[in-house]
Amino acid sequence: MPRAEPPVRRILGVRVHDVTMAEALERVAAFLAAGGPHQICTVNPEFVMHARRDPAFFQVLEQADLNVPDGVGLLWAGRVLGQPLRERVPGVELMEAIAARAAQEGWRLFLLGAAPGVAERAAETLRRRYPGLPVVGTFAGSPRPEEAPAILARLRQARPDVLFVAYGAPRQDLWIARYQPDLQIPVAMGVGGAFDFLAGVVPRAPRWMREAGLEWLYRLLRQPWRWRRMRVLPRFVLDVLRARYGRGGTGARVG
Ligand code: UDP
């Protein structure tokens, strides 16, 4: 039987689990042992800000089986708001940890999303690193509804145990929530730019920057178009401080 749900924290009303990397991996193993469909989301401050504006996305995060804390901003907010999160669990690292375990246990992986050819190259990297890893499919596809039937057909044929979806948030997470009832894949996880990292299309920040909590800055410098998306971050900081120190801050509620 899967162990009980990990502690739930609320960051500006949005649900996040206080799990370490090791605990997250154990949850994945428990989901696979239990069978039935599960969804994992990798929550960062951009997710939180989006979820507060978008009830459909908020609901996805309410219903997901595991929301790992991805991003230093979330850990900072957790400290300020008295919602402690012990450890950052970056999506790409959880994906690597799952792949390492999959090579031992024989879990069947499917990589869906990113630009054409990228999922294949990401799979090659994983296979090289974890010999014997069963990757049962890779496909760029697209989150557009008219593409769904063809994608679902591929997935039904490949019968993966774990599906990684790289369409960027919130599209990938909405996509999983929409089709999981049909697919019944034991574990489906939105992974954002993880295939790009694994394929070597985009380098990850150097270790010292990650350890200093500056991975977001590195990503902004490498891919300046991210500023648009990151515009919400000062607002995130402000809302967290207001929720903590302001009179009657609206931080605890949605909308
Ligand atoms: N992507 C895609 N189809 C789309 C939109 C995005 O395959 O319609 C892919 C894109 O190629 C990239 C990933 O989704 O691999 C999103 O990565 P990003 O770095 O933006 O995500 P983050 O890690 O910031 O959530």
Side-chain angles (χ1 to χ4, degrees):
M1 281 299 288
R3 281 186 19 243
E5 185 184 4
V8 172
R9 307 295 185 216
R10 294 274 166 187
I11 303 295
L12 301 179
V14 175
R15 180 167 164 263
V16 188
H17 288 111
D18 176 28
V19 281
T20 61
M21 177 65 76
E23 290 165 0
L25 189 58
E26 283 319 306
R27 283 307 282 167
V28 170
F31 294 157
L32 281 157
H38 297 85
Q39 177 166 11
I40 304 178
C41 301
T42 61
V43 180
N44 64 24
E46 292 157 27
F47 277 56
V48 170
M49 295 311 276
H50 195 92
R52 297 179 79 206
R53 289 197 315 269
D54 176 352
F57 186 47
F58 182 84
Q59 268 316 311
V60 168
L61 296 175
E62 283 296 298
Q63 285 159 15
D65 298 279
L66 181 62
N67 291 336
V68 300
D70 187 350
V72 281
L74 220 56
L75 267 61
W76 168 80
R79 273 197 305 278
V80 171
L81 296 170
Q83 299 283 315
L85 296 163
R86 280 165 296 161
E87 190 172 297
R88 182 175 172 221
V89 181
V92 61
E93 287 175 28
L94 181 54
M95 184 178 166
E96 288 166 320
I98 292 172
R101 183 81 169 258
Q104 297 164 6
E105 312 258 0
W107 299 340
R108 299 155 61 86
L109 309 189
F110 196 113
L111 278 60
L112 174 68
V118 172
E120 287 73 15
R121 280 154 62 198
E124 275 164 33
T125 303
L126 292 175
R127 276 208 202 93
R128 210 168 35 241
R129 251 192 249 164
Y130 313 110
L133 178 71
V135 179
V136 296
T138 56
F139 187 48
S142 137
R144 290 183 310 156
E146 53 272 35
E147 298 240 7
I151 297 175
L152 299 198
R154 274 176 196 255
L155 289 171
R156 283 201 201 95
Q157 205 184 1
R159 286 181 301 104
D161 298 306
V162 182
L163 170 66
F164 298 109
V165 185
Y167 287 144
R171 261 172 308 194
Q172 62 199 12
D173 308 284
L174 293 163
W175 193 95
I176 292 170
R178 164 84 178 75
Y179 297 110
Q180 248 311 33
D182 243 356
L183 288 167
Q184 302 278 320
I185 294 172
V187 174
M189 173 176 164
V191 293
F195 298 0
D196 295 340
F197 290 135
L198 291 168
V201 174
V202 179
R204 269 199 90 188
R207 186 201 292 257
W208 70 266
M209 281 190 96
R210 299 201 308 250
E211 283 172 1
L214 293 175
E215 183 154 25
W216 60 273
L217 176 63
Y218 182 84
R219 294 188 78 185
L220 178 61
L221 295 174
R222 294 287 309 203
Q223 301 173 300
W225 48 262
R226 283 184 184 278
W227 75 268
R228 276 187 157 280
R229 198 185 305 180
M230 292 169 90
R231 271 183 314 192
V232 297
L233 296 184
R235 183 63 204 259
F236 174 77
V237 170
L238 214 63
D239 286 355
V240 167
L241 293 175
R242 206 178 283 152
R244 172 69 179 81
Y245 300 107
R247 275 175 298 124
T250 55
R253 280 182 270 122
V254 193

